[in-house]
Amino acid sequence: MGRLRRTVGSMGLPPPALAAASFVALRELFMERLGSGDNRSALEVLRRRIAPLEVERSRVRELALAVVDRGRRLEGDRRLEVLAEMEGLLSPEIRVPERRLERLVEAAVEFQRVSCVYHNVPGSISLYADHCCGPDSIPCETKQILNKHENEVWFVQFSNNGAYLASSSRDCTAIIWMLEDNGTMSMKHTLRGHRKPVSFVAWSPDDTMLLTCGIGEVVKLWDVETGMCKHTFCEAGSPIVTSCSWFPDSQKFMCGSCDPENCIYKWDLQGNKLEAWRGDRMPKVSDLSVTPDGNCLISICSDTEIRIFNFKTRTERVISEEHPIRSLALSGDGQFFIVNLTNQEIHLWDVSGNWKEPSRYKGHMQEKYVIRSCFGGLDCMFIASGSENSQIYIWSRQSCELIKVLSGHTMTVNCVSWNPLRPDILASASDDRTIRIWHASRRYSKGIDA
């Protein structure tokens, strides 16, 4: 307690705060001596050291009553409470903010996480050792080659729960694959019915349905469990659909079109058009996506324009790129999106519109074909993309550093998809008629094999 009193005197507090802090320290000295039975010494502290302080007299009288009335004696040894009370008397300039140590520890952990360009390992990060994941923590080895398609494979996408993979092909079919416990894929259903190549698929948020888009043809809705076609969205003057995206209730979806009518349609599952956007301001729509919360529609228009429409506020923001845009991909949390450009760059933008310039990812080859990239890995910390030179490129999302190039396909890699719940698994689709399933070589979690 003597050390505490000396500390109070060295704090340089203004007189009122100094008197209050001194009272707190001396009150504890008084209670310690009173609690030990040394009433005379306690009274000495009260008369000579506490009474002269400029504090409320009622507080001094309360201490005096504790000497003569045993029932009113105050508890002794309340050091933690004393420190808390003392802290409240200090000015913000000289006291340590509440939970400051905890925040410093959290910041140190976060720094280790973001500094690790290969971070893809579930679990907590310890401060007892420097954290560093190696290149083997991201998918880099071919685990399986799927060759059931009879022509170029143009699109692949994992389901939201990570249990399924859907692929579509120039052979006019789509296939639903199932992820087994050992990390391999088995064929669940082949979806037949399109008369033209299938260029795009979209999983419903609840993963019970799948939409498929035929080039210049129709949109079909499939039941994932049975593999049966539930509805064909086709009528006189139907749009030529290029892409589609679900609303979060799994009851409605948007379709983008590049036909002469130039429109975006909203459909329900019974095939009713709920809304259609037409006109000169809505030119060719090559790709679109609805954010997971259902608040915004992001669409690629006029080759070089990105339009972000907010359904709630009915406002629109336009981002202009200098080069034609070939594809769009949205992050799982709906906060960011990436676009692939013909100048062989991928640009990352924020949906909220706070960024004036995008993050840029370079190294892959894309000049004339539609190449699709994706977010992936733990906390979506990576960007992956196919390429016209038959390779797959993986970048650190935050640093934009190219960290891995995967070889194995023999022709253009059109699309990649990272499993949203298994950060060790990546799928790729190629013109060589195959789908490759890539796994991390590092075995880092129970039930995940290298």
Side-chain angles (χ1 to χ4, degrees):
M1 192 57 65
R3 181 180 300 175
L4 178 60
R5 296 198 309 275
R6 290 191 295 272
T7 301
V8 169
S10 64
M11 287 180 178
L13 299 173
L18 178 60
S22 298
F23 174 81
V24 171
L26 292 170
R27 182 190 62 191
E28 297 311 307
L29 175 62
F30 167 81
M31 289 192 296
E32 284 181 0
R33 296 186 177 181
L34 192 62
S36 66
D38 191 354
N39 290 9
R40 178 174 295 182
S41 180
L43 282 171
E44 188 72 13
V45 171
L46 180 62
R47 290 170 180 169
R48 295 183 177 275
R49 308 181 69 176
I50 295 179
L53 294 174
E54 295 183 0
V55 296
E56 293 182 10
R57 306 321 298 170
S58 60
R59 303 179 72 183
V60 178
R61 286 195 296 272
E62 184 179 5
L63 297 181
L65 289 173
V67 177
V68 297
D69 185 354
R70 293 182 180 270
R72 293 180 61 91
R73 291 199 177 186
L74 307 176
E75 294 182 6
D77 196 10
R78 301 182 307 118
R79 287 176 171 79
L80 292 179
E81 296 181 25
V82 170
L83 290 175
E85 187 175 355
M86 193 75 72
E87 181 182 349
L89 298 171
L90 304 179
S91 64
E93 291 79 9
I94 63 175
R95 74 182 180 202
V96 178
E98 185 179 358
R99 299 181 63 223
R100 179 58 179 166
L101 179 59
E102 181 180 347
R103 292 191 176 93
L104 289 174
V105 171
E106 291 173 351
V109 170
E110 178 65 11
F111 177 78
Q112 290 207 66
R113 187 184 70 84
V114 299
S115 299
C116 179
V117 295
Y118 298 106
H119 185 62
N120 198 36
V121 180
S124 60
I125 296 175
S126 172
L127 290 179
Y128 291 105
D130 291 337
H131 173 79
C132 183
C133 298
D136 57 352
S137 67
I138 61 176
C140 55
E141 295 182 353
T142 298
K143 175 81 171 182
Q144 190 179 9
I145 299 176
L146 309 177
N147 54 11
K148 297 299 183 181
H149 281 292
E150 298 177 358
N151 211 319
E152 298 170 354
V153 188
W154 287 350
F155 198 91
V156 285
Q157 187 178 69
F158 277 105
S159 59
N160 301 287
N161 61 13
Y164 301 101
L165 176 73
S167 60
S168 66
S169 169
R170 190 174 182 178
D171 66 8
C172 306
T173 70
I175 296 178
I176 296 177
W177 309 84
M178 185 166 56
L179 181 64
E180 305 291 349
D181 291 340
N182 64 359
T184 62
M185 308 297 300
S186 62
M187 191 167 67
K188 183 177 177 66
H189 299 297
T190 298
L191 310 180
R192 304 182 187 276
H194 285 281
R195 297 181 180 181
K196 294 185 179 182
V198 183
S199 61
F200 194 91
V201 303
W203 290 94
S204 63
D206 61 11
D207 291 325
T208 63
M209 294 169 286
L210 185 74
L211 289 170
T212 57
C213 302
I215 289 186
E217 190 190 9
V218 296
V219 177
K220 287 182 176 290
L221 175 67
W222 304 85
D223 183 275
V224 172
E225 185 59 33
T226 65
M228 301 297 293
C229 181
K230 300 180 67 172
H231 193 84
T232 297
F233 298 82
C234 180
E235 59 181 33
S238 289
I240 301 172
V241 175
T242 55
S243 58
C244 50
S245 182
W246 291 83
F247 282 89
D249 61 1
S250 295
Q251 298 299 311
K252 302 180 294 294
F253 61 92
M254 302 293 295
C255 286
S257 171
C258 62
D259 74 349
E261 287 195 11
N262 305 325
C263 30
I264 293 177
Y265 289 88
K266 181 192 290 187
W267 301 79
D268 65 16
L269 300 188
Q270 289 72 45
N272 301 309
K273 287 182 186 178
L274 305 179
E275 192 173 2
W277 302 345
R278 301 182 177 88
D280 295 337
R281 65 175 298 277
M282 196 56 61
K284 181 180 70 174
V285 177
S286 58
D287 209 345
L288 57 74
S289 188
V290 177
T291 54
D293 58 12
N295 289 339
C296 294
L297 171 69
I298 306 170
S299 58
I300 306 303
C301 306
S302 297
D303 288 333
T304 58
E305 282 189 353
I306 305 166
R307 294 177 179 266
I308 303 176
F309 180 77
N310 189 300
F311 291 106
K312 289 186 175 181
T313 62
R314 311 301 291 182
T315 58
E316 185 178 69
R317 179 166 59 92
V318 177
I319 299 173
S320 296
E321 291 280 8
E322 295 181 359
H323 301 274
I325 304 167
R326 286 291 180 259
S327 63
L328 160 73
L330 189 64
S331 63
D333 58 12
Q335 297 184 33
F336 307 96
F337 64 90
I338 47 179
V339 289
N340 281 51
L341 309 176
T342 57
N343 69 333
Q344 307 188 81
E345 289 186 3
I346 298 171
H347 288 183
L348 168 68
W349 293 93
D350 69 317
V351 175
S352 61
N354 294 322
W355 297 1
K356 294 183 178 180
E357 293 291 331
S359 298
R360 303 169 189 268
Y361 307 87
K362 304 177 183 179
H364 68 302
M365 182 182 296
Q366 178 172 9
E367 294 179 331
K368 54 183 180 179
Y369 298 129
V370 175
I371 303 296
R372 296 185 181 276
S373 54
C374 71
F375 292 84
L378 192 67
D379 300 324
C380 289
M381 294 305 295
F382 304 100
I383 302 294
S385 179
S387 177
E388 292 178 9
N389 64 357
S390 76
Q391 295 179 313
I392 299 164
Y393 291 77
I394 300 176
W395 297 264
S396 165
R397 194 187 85 185
Q398 292 189 319
S399 69
C400 300
E401 176 185 354
L402 178 63
I403 59 177
K404 202 74 174 179
V405 179
L406 308 181
S407 300
H409 285 291
T410 59
M411 299 180 71
T412 296
V413 179
N414 299 304
C415 184
V416 292
S417 180
W418 212 306
N419 192 300
L421 296 187
R422 291 283 300 270
D424 63 322
I425 299 179
L426 176 74
S428 57
S430 172
D431 281 352
D432 64 13
R433 304 187 177 190
T434 70
I435 300 164
R436 283 183 175 251
I437 306 300
W438 304 83
H439 278 217
S441 58
R442 177 182 178 183
R443 184 172 181 171
Y444 57 77
S445 179
K446 182 179 180 181
I448 298 180
D449 300 321

